[in-house]
Amino acid sequence: MKRNSIEKAIILSFIIICPFFQGMYFYHQVYLAGAFLLVVLTYYIIINKSIKFEKSINNVCILIGIILYFASTFYAVDKGMAVMGFLKVLVVYIFYLVMMQTNIDKRDYMNAISYSGTIISVIALSAFFIPYLQEMFVQKGRLGSFFQYPNTFAVFILISIIIMISKEKIQTYDYLAIMIMWTCFLLTFSRSMYIIGIGALLIVIIYDRKKIKHLVPFILLGTLLWYIIIISVDISYVFNRIEETSIKTSEWLTRLLYYKDSISIMKDHPFGTGHLGYYYIQRIYQTGASYYVKYIHSNVLQIVMDIGIVGFVLVGLYFMRNIFNRKLSFYNKLILFIIFGHGAVDFDFQFLVIGFCIVIIVFIDKDKMKTININRECSILIISIFLTSYIYMALSSYYAYAGENEKSLYMYPYNTEAKIDLAKYYKQMKPEKAYELADWVIENNQYAIDAYIIKRDIDYKNWELEKAYISAEKLINLNPLSITHLEKYSTILLDLANENLSNNSNDEALEQLEQIFEIPYRLNKLAKERLTDYNVKHIPRLYMSKKLTEIYDSAKKLYDKIINLT
């Protein structure tokens, strides 16, 4: 009995603590969590001399998804980053496996989430009055708390609120916690979550009317506290964000462009692009706006971008099966609607705490549990390999997180992001080293725009015009909507033409000038193909800029000069 209590305390403490580590967003945090869970899993295998396994559609959906993430490491846009992504998503399944081994009640797991939400909310509220915490927890007047991303923080807090409301007997202190969490929820100023949150509360009030008497007053008190804080710390300017809530808002329209452009990516990459593949290739396909985002702002589409169309089928099957699962309560299904509803327009799944929440809410079907006798020594050996890998990768990715990229790459040389950051750092002080790093990045990822920029700029500075031209041409193809890259490309062409003229290579000079003359037609074609009527902020300037016009005029004069010479 005592042993069970200790096990329960350890696992529930893990759930409570995880959201404090930025919602398990960064690699090193996730890998450490994975290492801890593997230790727990090993403990259960040793004690039980077997492993429990759920034979269900839910398990099959998650397991196939994990296998597809592993498979993507062989064909991903960036195989090194795909390995890191696979190890990240695998942690959710390891957590799922650990849950299968325990006898902890579902309500205890759910309570751990709401306790964590309450503690975080109390600390987060103090951020508006403590400057040090405000720098960490508040982003542009919006409360992001430990997550440092207001939208996903709002999702987590709303999950915690619904879990607390779902209790059969709600105590006064529970209502106080709901009030505090509701205040924090409002302080996120998340427009989409405002709609979802208010809608969820209205559904709760309609469904469970007996809770209206106490719930509504505390929600109103939380709203009042929200208003008092806004006035006290003078962040009323954030109200403008709420007033702009409309489907015609630039931010919403830009996201619609992400989704529309992703269709072309799906056609070219039906099996996905691997972890962060979308991040590297998005600008080839973008239309209507010069956007650049790490994730597509849609959990479902992000999974499609990562592992292909099969991923969409898996998510749909998992969601639909559990929404119509009679064993799930009304409140469980409401939470799933909240998670998947907001996830349709944001990247909440990148915070692994949300993945943990989904697994906890859906939980384990005890009727479908099977005990499998396994070879303990063999199992422990396999787990030990993964455990060592997680600890090793946690240290490597922490070095990258801390800016110690040399140490990070010494341990794991396939971290493209760390290598690019290091190349940027060396670009001025050690250009040879930066160039070497950029070459390595391109060898492993032909879409890494930053690496081509480094090579182009270093070659141009060293007057290696032929090499600079190769990188410049690659850049205008990888990022066709960038006028800046096109200006640099034109500058290099003009310099090449002048150099060839001085070397009496007139034919080559004329070829380069003709390439410059093609630019207006290129821009006109791009404008017809890529511009949309979406009213967004970053509409690309697909016309001849002042600099491009100057280069074009200079090219015409040089062309006439060469013609007269011949």
Side-chain angles (χ1 to χ4, degrees), residues 22 25-29 148 394-405 408 415 418 421:
Q22 290 160 303
Y25 175 81
F26 292 101
Y27 297 110
H28 63 283
Q29 299 161 340
Q148 296 183 346
L395 184 57
S396 173
S397 52
Y398 174 74
Y399 280 136
Y401 174 79
E404 298 283 348
N405 291 309
S408 175
N415 186 335
D421 287 343

Side-chain angles (χ1 to χ4, degrees), residues 351-369:
F351 296 80
L352 249 64
V353 162
I354 303 300
F356 293 164
C357 288
I358 293 172
V359 173
I360 289 170
I361 295 304
V362 173
F363 207 60
I364 310 297
D365 190 338
K366 298 294 184 182
D367 297 332
K368 296 181 180 179
M369 291 299 295

